[in-house]
């Protein structure tokens, strides 16, 4: 069997088409299909906020823009703070790209972490990953517009996949779509070059991953992959961009897919008792990401 066929078979096992034949599951009191509802409705304030965020993102996220953001943010000279300090800042952030919740982001952080802890009680690094996965959103407090901070990510420098939300028209004014270097299937990349070698649209995933590496965090590689790609829905949910994958990517994809169900399907009106939970998570912070970090 060719390597290409083996990759395809493994992808099929990760993104299981038989799921469509099963009864629709319920998470946090909502049907699975009720999450990530990107229907356009100008009369709905939240849906219109989400649409405009993605329109700005898809218009402005170009190869040149991402390079400029990396040059700006990867100096790690914006702030010095602990993980707990960064989490507390999220108490003042509402994600403008999220159609599923209007609660401060710190609530989502604890909802995600506690759901992981319930199902995987022995994987403390996984609990902490759930808690911190959105910390890159602190960029919004240092001058970055939310369309360059939040939302689904995608590779720049190659053709945009059909599964990207609002794909039909939201990229119409992005100049990379008219650039022959970037508008083909492979664009500026090579087949099976590896997902890590793609330049992703700039956002909180890539930024937090870089912050973790820069500050020598002790989380395992699979945790770093969850952080780096949890918003890459066109890949882990849409099944696109597989022509860039290696076997190592598919191994990571299994963990990213496992993480995704806690990131997405725990959003609800129920608010955890954050003050009561702090002592447990502070121990994990001290174990894996101690001290003051450079952001």
């Amino acid at each position: 069997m060719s390597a290409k066929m083996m990759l395809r078979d493994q992808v099929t096992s990760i993104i299981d088409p038989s799921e469509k034949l099963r009864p629709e599951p319920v998470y946090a009191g909502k049907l699975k299909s009720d999450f990530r509802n990107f229907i356009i409705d100008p009369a709905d304030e939240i849906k219109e906020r989400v649409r405009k965020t993605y329109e700005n993102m898809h218009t402005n996220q170009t190869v040149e823009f991402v390079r400029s953001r990396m040059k700006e943010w990867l100096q790690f000279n914006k702030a010095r703070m602990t993980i707990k300090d960064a989490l507390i800042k999220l108490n003042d952030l509402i994600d403008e790209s999220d159609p599923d919740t209007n609660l401060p982001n710190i609530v989502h952080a604890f909802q995600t972490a506690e759901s992981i802890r319930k199902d995987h009680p022995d994987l403390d690094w996984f609990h902490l990953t759930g808690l911190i996965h959105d910390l890159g959103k602190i960029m919004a407090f240092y001058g970055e517009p939310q369309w360059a901070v939040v939302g689904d990510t995608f590779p720049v420098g190659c053709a945009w996949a059909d599964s990207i939300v609002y794909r039909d028209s939201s990229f119409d004014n992005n100049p990379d779509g008219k650039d022959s270097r970037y508008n083909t299937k492979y664009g500026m990349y090579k087949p099976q070059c590896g997902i890590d070698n793609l330049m992703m649209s700039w956002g909180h995933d890539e930024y937090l991953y870089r912050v973790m590496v820069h500050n020598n965090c002790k989380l395992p590689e699979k945790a770093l992959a969850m952080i780096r790609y949890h918003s890459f829905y066109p890949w882990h949910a849409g099944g696109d961009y597989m022509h860039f994958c290696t076997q190592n990517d598919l191994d990571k994809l299994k963990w990213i897919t496992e993480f995704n169900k806690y990131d997405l399907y725990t959003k609800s009106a129920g608010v955890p008792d954050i003050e009561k939970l702090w002592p447990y998570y502070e121990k994990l912070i001290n174990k894996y990401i101690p001290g003051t970090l450079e952001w």
Side-chain angles (χ1 to χ4, degrees):
M1 182 183 292
S2 69
K4 187 174 182 180
M5 291 178 66
M6 290 177 66
L7 283 173
R8 183 191 64 197
D9 290 345
Q10 290 180 65
V11 169
T12 300
S13 68
I14 294 169
I15 303 173
D16 185 357
S18 68
E19 291 284 349
K20 297 179 180 179
L21 304 178
R22 299 171 184 167
E24 187 174 358
V26 175
Y27 300 98
K30 293 171 61 175
L31 291 173
K32 183 176 181 179
S33 60
D34 288 336
F35 290 87
R36 286 180 59 80
N37 183 344
F38 292 103
I39 293 174
I40 296 174
D41 182 359
D44 186 307
E45 183 178 345
I46 292 179
K47 285 185 171 58
E48 189 63 5
R49 179 196 72 191
V50 171
R51 185 195 66 77
K52 288 181 178 179
T53 300
Y54 275 101
E55 182 176 65
N56 284 323
M57 179 197 304
H58 295 167
T59 298
N60 294 291
Q61 290 272 6
T62 63
V63 171
E64 181 180 0
F65 174 78
V66 174
R67 286 174 176 159
S68 74
R69 295 302 82 202
M70 293 176 76
K71 183 178 179 180
E72 172 74 17
W73 285 96
L74 301 188
Q75 299 179 62
F76 306 106
N77 61 0
K78 296 295 185 292
R80 291 177 59 84
M81 70 181 89
T82 65
I83 290 293
K84 184 175 181 180
D85 290 338
L87 281 162
I88 291 171
K89 286 187 76 68
L90 289 188
N91 202 44
D92 296 322
L93 180 73
I94 294 174
D95 187 330
E96 294 177 358
S97 72
D98 195 334
D100 295 318
T101 182
N102 220 22
L103 292 171
N105 225 237
I106 192 172
V107 175
H108 169 57
F110 277 93
Q111 288 174 332
T112 304
E114 282 296 283
S115 295
I116 293 171
R117 184 181 175 189
K118 179 181 178 182
D119 288 354
H120 300 278
D122 299 327
L123 300 180
D124 65 351
W125 61 267
F126 199 2
H127 312 164
L128 182 59
T129 303
L131 185 73
I132 71 166
H133 72 281
D134 277 343
L135 281 189
K137 294 178 182 180
I138 68 165
M139 288 191 292
F141 298 107
Y142 297 94
E144 203 65 58
Q146 282 217 22
W147 56 261
V149 175
V150 301
D152 295 3
T153 57
F154 55 91
V156 297
C158 62
W160 302 300
D162 289 340
S163 64
I164 298 174
V165 297
Y166 306 111
R167 170 67 181 86
D168 289 347
S169 61
S170 60
F171 288 96
D172 288 354
N173 295 316
N174 186 312
D176 282 2
K178 301 176 180 64
D179 192 322
S180 60
R181 295 173 297 173
Y182 306 140
N183 62 7
T184 62
K185 179 178 180 179
Y186 291 101
M188 62 184 192
Y189 310 109
K190 301 292 184 182
Q192 294 183 326
C193 64
I195 295 296
D196 288 352
N197 291 312
L198 302 180
M199 182 185 292
M200 301 300 295
S201 56
W202 185 248
H204 68 282
D205 293 40
E206 184 69 18
Y207 176 56
L208 182 61
Y209 165 76
R210 299 293 189 112
V211 168
M212 293 295 100
V213 172
H214 175 73
N215 287 280
N216 299 309
C217 85
K218 299 173 185 177
L219 289 170
E221 285 297 319
K222 47 185 171 278
L224 294 178
M226 294 173 188
I227 288 169
R228 194 176 195 182
Y229 300 117
H230 69 271
S231 301
F232 190 8
Y233 278 88
W235 179 42
H236 63 65
D240 285 320
Y241 300 105
M242 293 298 172
H243 47 286
F244 293 125
C245 285
T246 63
Q247 180 58 52
N248 183 51
D249 293 324
L250 296 184
D251 293 339
K252 290 188 294 190
L253 184 57
K254 296 173 185 177
W255 278 103
I256 295 165
T257 303
E258 176 67 10
F259 173 81
N260 173 252
K261 66 186 182 184
Y262 300 106
D263 181 19
L264 178 59
Y265 299 125
T266 58
K267 296 172 183 175
S268 68
V271 178
D273 187 341
I274 293 175
E275 288 305 314
K276 185 177 179 179
L277 294 171
W278 269 126
Y280 173 73
Y281 287 101
E282 286 181 280
K283 289 179 182 178
L284 300 189
I285 291 168
N286 290 332
K287 179 179 179 179
Y288 290 103
I289 324 170
T292 301
L293 279 59
E294 294 179 341
W295 297 80

